[in-house]
Amino acid sequence: MIEQLLFLVCAGAAMAGAVGAAVVRNLFHAALLLGLCLLGTAGLYLFLQQSYLACLQVVVYLGGVLVLVLFATLFSADVRGAVQRTPVWLRAVGGLGALLAAGIAVQLARAVVAHGKNLLPSRRDPENTPDAIGGADAIGDLLVGSWLVPFLLAGFLLTVALVAAVATVRRFRRPLEASRG
Amino acid sequence: MTGLGYAVDAVAVWLSGSPAPGWIAVTVAVLLVWVAPLLAIIFPVAALGQIVERKVAAAIQRRHGPNSASLEGPLRFGFRVLLCFLPRATQDRAFQRFLKLPVVRSLLPILQKLGIGQLAADGIKMLGKEDIVPRGADGAVFRLAPYLALTGAFLPFCVVPFAHHLVMLEVSVGALYVIAVSGVTVLALLMAGWGSGNKFSMLGGMRAVAQLVSYEIPVGLAVAGVVLWSGTMDLHAIVAQQYRPGVFTFVGWNLVQSPFLAMLAGVFFLAGLAECQRTPFDMAEAESELVSGFNTEYSGLRWGMFALAEYTEMLLIGALFATLFLGGYQSPIGEQWIVGLHPLLATLLHLGIFAVKFLASLFLMVWIRWTLPRYRVDQVMRLCWLTLVPICLVAVFGLAVQLVLAGGTEAGTAYGRLAALPRPALGVLGHLLGWAVPVLLLGVLVRIARRRHGGMHPALRQLTGGGS
């Protein structure tokens, strides 16, 4: 009962956010609505028992990507979307995208209708419950198991990026202090 | 079992009297376990933080601080509201009788001296103020931002263990959850800054976001170090992992387990201070240059929400510091006897110990605020990227090497009703490396500092009046 209500809230937030982000003219509002969509998706992950994935979604997308997007929108000359009109070719591309999304949605719906009963919790294979698939432990095992090399490469890349950020700041340190006298 | 955590399960079973509680019992249990503590404990404690701040500030400046606002007015107001169905004369008579109670008569002056009356008066004043939305503001974004800030400050408390099993939500990814949820504050500040339609607010919001995003890296790395050491992200398990039997329980605390963890603890506290935008890192609301930063345009209750969010975040940093590095709610001495006590008594003791721990860090934060001047905006960023992040990287690397040299884990001792957790078994080599490397590092740092500044930091030399 409560679970269904919460599910509807999360799904509704995700859908409303997605539609709003595409439709609203004000760029800042569109970015915030994108955030609502991402938050709703994180909530949906919780219903799949994927608390780790939900937390990561919030850290990476809400705390990182969305802030970047918001910063980027603030560089726009026309944040409120009051002046510029959308060009026709862009509208055409948007319509094409909408068609594509509708096709995917229909395919998904057909798949759910065809196999939906097997997805119910009562019919689930206990060996393959989501918790066993995507919990923090399972993801950790995968990362340092079969995906060890990509994981190490990604970790190495991130560390290099972090050290490079520090090095970049250091390079500007001397002249700044010199100019301060 | 409802899958909503031990506390909810226990309360729901107790309420319904059956092992499989219905949804009404579960709802009531959720309200009791999750919503009530938020509203009834954290909210007033965060408000009390303000009084602690003002009193400590007053003590540092040799003043008395708030001590004159009477509690009678707010109490009379409360009586009028509670007894609104009675005639005015009866209300007043009841109030006079209440005032003459010996407990009230002896307690009221003390509370007034402590400044509680000021708190009540401020609260009522804030409620009564006009809620102004500037003409150039983006109404919806402007109105929504304070709620989001408050949400980001309150939600992390869901996974902080206040005592044994006294935690609202037992999730296996608690540490990650805290970092994720408190990241929402960044959005709130950006919304407040942009929504105000004011250049000062915008600048303040941008500064706040730049600072928060930068300082999330040292905070995240410090938490990652603790997670690496404990082998779990569950805050409750992290506390249990710091348990050692014996008289001197504090030898198990993460702070003294490894010098690298001590380094991370220092970084966590400093970066946490920056995360809640306190002096010396309060560039976002530098009143001398930005009026009041992102909350310039806010008035009344909405401003109050931002203030409350700040104090709640201070409490959160204190609570997390205690949980991650100071053994959580465990007593420094003789924890094994407390575990053996009656559960209710043990819980109360643990609550008290936890409160002492995080009040101590609250006091430290206030002390810092009223002692140190504020950093310039570029200095804030430089401290993060050039000092804290490298220290974190070195410490996490050192921790990993130490763990590898330890070569394995030993079974810990079961803590209360929590199962034993494995913990790193450091050999002689691990301990030696653990203490030798930081000492060497410190030596090198001192050497570099000496060569650069000729013995003493220029600021220190100026302060002490010369000398090398």
Side-chain angles (χ1 to χ4, degrees), chain B residues 166-187:
Chain B
L166 200 69
V167 49
M168 288 177 227
L169 197 57
E170 277 179 20
V171 286
S172 56
V173 289
L176 187 64
Y177 169 87
V178 168
I179 291 179
V181 175
S182 54
V184 173
T185 320
V186 177
L187 285 183

mmCIF file of all heavy atoms in Angstrom, chain B residues 166-187:
data_model
loop_
_atom_site.group_PDB
_atom_site.id
_atom_site.type_symbol
_atom_site.label_atom_id
_atom_site.label_comp_id
_atom_site.label_asym_id
_atom_site.label_seq_id
_atom_site.Cartn_x
_atom_site.Cartn_y
_atom_site.Cartn_z
ATOM 1 N N LEU B 166 19.999 2.211 17.943
ATOM 2 C CA LEU B 166 19.167 3.407 17.904
ATOM 3 C C LEU B 166 19.565 4.199 16.663
ATOM 4 O O LEU B 166 20.254 5.217 16.724
ATOM 5 C CB LEU B 166 19.358 4.248 19.161
ATOM 6 C CG LEU B 166 18.208 5.212 19.429
ATOM 7 C CD1 LEU B 166 16.975 4.433 19.812
ATOM 8 C CD2 LEU B 166 18.568 6.184 20.517
ATOM 9 N N VAL B 167 19.153 3.678 15.522
ATOM 10 C CA VAL B 167 19.457 4.333 14.255
ATOM 11 C C VAL B 167 18.195 4.219 13.409
ATOM 12 O O VAL B 167 17.523 3.198 13.403
ATOM 13 C CB VAL B 167 20.689 3.696 13.592
ATOM 14 C CG1 VAL B 167 20.588 2.203 13.556
ATOM 15 C CG2 VAL B 167 20.917 4.231 12.203
ATOM 16 N N MET B 168 17.849 5.336 12.740
ATOM 17 C CA MET B 168 16.569 5.338 12.036
ATOM 18 C C MET B 168 16.565 4.356 10.885
ATOM 19 O O MET B 168 15.596 3.686 10.614
ATOM 20 C CB MET B 168 16.299 6.737 11.513
ATOM 21 C CG MET B 168 15.953 7.709 12.609
ATOM 22 S SD MET B 168 15.737 9.309 11.882
ATOM 23 C CE MET B 168 16.703 10.273 12.993
ATOM 24 N N LEU B 169 17.671 4.284 10.165
ATOM 25 C CA LEU B 169 17.693 3.500 8.936
ATOM 26 C C LEU B 169 19.001 2.731 8.908
ATOM 27 O O LEU B 169 20.061 3.327 8.865
ATOM 28 C CB LEU B 169 17.620 4.471 7.754
ATOM 29 C CG LEU B 169 17.240 3.968 6.393
ATOM 30 C CD1 LEU B 169 15.895 3.298 6.459
ATOM 31 C CD2 LEU B 169 17.198 5.131 5.431
ATOM 32 N N GLU B 170 18.920 1.411 8.967
ATOM 33 C CA GLU B 170 20.148 0.637 8.889
ATOM 34 C C GLU B 170 20.378 0.240 7.450
ATOM 35 O O GLU B 170 19.789 -0.708 6.952
ATOM 36 C CB GLU B 170 20.046 -0.597 9.783
ATOM 37 C CG GLU B 170 20.378 -0.291 11.224
ATOM 38 C CD GLU B 170 20.245 -1.494 12.118
ATOM 39 O OE1 GLU B 170 20.274 -2.622 11.610
ATOM 40 O OE2 GLU B 170 20.082 -1.294 13.324
ATOM 41 N N VAL B 171 21.204 0.990 6.762
ATOM 42 C CA VAL B 171 21.503 0.649 5.378
ATOM 43 C C VAL B 171 22.959 0.221 5.292
ATOM 44 O O VAL B 171 23.805 0.695 6.039
ATOM 45 C CB VAL B 171 21.252 1.828 4.416
ATOM 46 C CG1 VAL B 171 19.794 2.035 4.200
ATOM 47 C CG2 VAL B 171 21.900 3.087 4.916
ATOM 48 N N SER B 172 23.226 -0.665 4.341
ATOM 49 C CA SER B 172 24.575 -1.211 4.244
ATOM 50 C C SER B 172 25.527 -0.198 3.620
ATOM 51 O O SER B 172 26.728 -0.377 3.656
ATOM 52 C CB SER B 172 24.559 -2.491 3.416
ATOM 53 O OG SER B 172 23.986 -2.228 2.161
ATOM 54 N N VAL B 173 24.979 0.875 3.031
ATOM 55 C CA VAL B 173 25.855 1.842 2.359
ATOM 56 C C VAL B 173 25.776 3.203 3.054
ATOM 57 O O VAL B 173 25.799 4.240 2.413
ATOM 58 C CB VAL B 173 25.500 1.983 0.873
ATOM 59 C CG1 VAL B 173 25.899 0.739 0.120
ATOM 60 C CG2 VAL B 173 24.027 2.252 0.675
ATOM 61 N N GLY B 174 25.693 3.176 4.405
ATOM 62 C CA GLY B 174 25.474 4.392 5.178
ATOM 63 C C GLY B 174 26.417 5.529 4.858
ATOM 64 O O GLY B 174 25.998 6.672 4.665
ATOM 65 N N ALA B 175 27.730 5.228 4.773
ATOM 66 C CA ALA B 175 28.714 6.294 4.547
ATOM 67 C C ALA B 175 28.468 6.970 3.199
ATOM 68 O O ALA B 175 28.504 8.196 3.086
ATOM 69 C CB ALA B 175 30.127 5.720 4.604
ATOM 70 N N LEU B 176 28.182 6.153 2.186
ATOM 71 C CA LEU B 176 27.918 6.704 0.854
ATOM 72 C C LEU B 176 26.628 7.522 0.867
ATOM 73 O O LEU B 176 26.542 8.582 0.250
ATOM 74 C CB LEU B 176 27.821 5.559 -0.158
ATOM 75 C CG LEU B 176 27.710 5.972 -1.618
ATOM 76 C CD1 LEU B 176 28.967 6.681 -2.047
ATOM 77 C CD2 LEU B 176 27.458 4.768 -2.493
ATOM 78 N N TYR B 177 25.634 7.014 1.605
ATOM 79 C CA TYR B 177 24.336 7.704 1.704
ATOM 80 C C TYR B 177 24.518 9.114 2.275
ATOM 81 O O TYR B 177 23.934 10.080 1.771
ATOM 82 C CB TYR B 177 23.392 6.870 2.569
ATOM 83 C CG TYR B 177 22.118 7.562 2.965
ATOM 84 C CD1 TYR B 177 21.009 7.516 2.141
ATOM 85 C CD2 TYR B 177 22.032 8.263 4.159
ATOM 86 C CE1 TYR B 177 19.838 8.157 2.493
ATOM 87 C CE2 TYR B 177 20.879 8.905 4.526
ATOM 88 C CZ TYR B 177 19.784 8.850 3.692
ATOM 89 O OH TYR B 177 18.642 9.494 4.046
ATOM 90 N N VAL B 178 25.331 9.224 3.325
ATOM 91 C CA VAL B 178 25.549 10.537 3.948
ATOM 92 C C VAL B 178 26.128 11.517 2.931
ATOM 93 O O VAL B 178 25.662 12.645 2.784
ATOM 94 C CB VAL B 178 26.483 10.409 5.162
ATOM 95 C CG1 VAL B 178 26.941 11.764 5.624
ATOM 96 C CG2 VAL B 178 25.788 9.688 6.281
ATOM 97 N N ILE B 179 27.149 11.045 2.192
ATOM 98 C CA ILE B 179 27.788 11.926 1.214
ATOM 99 C C ILE B 179 26.800 12.300 0.110
ATOM 100 O O ILE B 179 26.729 13.452 -0.329
ATOM 101 C CB ILE B 179 29.035 11.240 0.631
ATOM 102 C CG1 ILE B 179 30.096 11.152 1.711
ATOM 103 C CG2 ILE B 179 29.568 12.004 -0.561
ATOM 104 C CD1 ILE B 179 31.341 10.473 1.274
ATOM 105 N N ALA B 180 25.986 11.309 -0.306
ATOM 106 C CA ALA B 180 25.034 11.557 -1.391
ATOM 107 C C ALA B 180 24.001 12.592 -0.980
ATOM 108 O O ALA B 180 23.761 13.576 -1.688
ATOM 109 C CB ALA B 180 24.353 10.253 -1.788
ATOM 110 N N VAL B 181 23.385 12.382 0.187
ATOM 111 C CA VAL B 181 22.263 13.224 0.576
ATOM 112 C C VAL B 181 22.719 14.640 0.924
ATOM 113 O O VAL B 181 22.052 15.614 0.580
ATOM 114 C CB VAL B 181 21.506 12.586 1.752
ATOM 115 C CG1 VAL B 181 20.427 13.505 2.236
ATOM 116 C CG2 VAL B 181 20.919 11.273 1.318
ATOM 117 N N SER B 182 23.898 14.748 1.575
ATOM 118 C CA SER B 182 24.316 16.098 1.944
ATOM 119 C C SER B 182 24.749 16.887 0.708
ATOM 120 O O SER B 182 24.872 18.107 0.776
ATOM 121 C CB SER B 182 25.429 16.058 2.990
ATOM 122 O OG SER B 182 26.484 15.263 2.531
ATOM 123 N N GLY B 183 24.957 16.193 -0.424
ATOM 124 C CA GLY B 183 25.283 16.907 -1.653
ATOM 125 C C GLY B 183 24.138 17.748 -2.171
ATOM 126 O O GLY B 183 24.337 18.655 -2.984
ATOM 127 N N VAL B 184 22.913 17.464 -1.690
ATOM 128 C CA VAL B 184 21.734 18.218 -2.133
ATOM 129 C C VAL B 184 21.862 19.691 -1.730
ATOM 130 O O VAL B 184 21.342 20.574 -2.407
ATOM 131 C CB VAL B 184 20.464 17.583 -1.536
ATOM 132 C CG1 VAL B 184 19.252 18.432 -1.835
ATOM 133 C CG2 VAL B 184 20.278 16.193 -2.120
ATOM 134 N N THR B 185 22.607 19.950 -0.628
ATOM 135 C CA THR B 185 22.795 21.323 -0.160
ATOM 136 C C THR B 185 23.375 22.208 -1.262
ATOM 137 O O THR B 185 23.022 23.380 -1.374
ATOM 138 C CB THR B 185 23.746 21.331 1.043
ATOM 139 O OG1 THR B 185 23.417 20.220 1.864
ATOM 140 C CG2 THR B 185 23.612 22.602 1.826
ATOM 141 N N VAL B 186 24.278 21.638 -2.072
ATOM 142 C CA VAL B 186 24.893 22.405 -3.158
ATOM 143 C C VAL B 186 23.803 22.975 -4.063
ATOM 144 O O VAL B 186 23.806 24.162 -4.400
ATOM 145 C CB VAL B 186 25.836 21.492 -3.969
ATOM 146 C CG1 VAL B 186 26.409 22.264 -5.134
ATOM 147 C CG2 VAL B 186 26.937 20.959 -3.095
ATOM 148 N N LEU B 187 22.854 22.112 -4.434
ATOM 149 C CA LEU B 187 21.757 22.561 -5.295
ATOM 150 C C LEU B 187 20.972 23.670 -4.625
ATOM 151 O O LEU B 187 20.610 24.669 -5.254
ATOM 152 C CB LEU B 187 20.818 21.389 -5.595
ATOM 153 C CG LEU B 187 21.315 20.356 -6.595
ATOM 154 C CD1 LEU B 187 20.244 19.320 -6.825
ATOM 155 C CD2 LEU B 187 21.669 21.040 -7.890
#
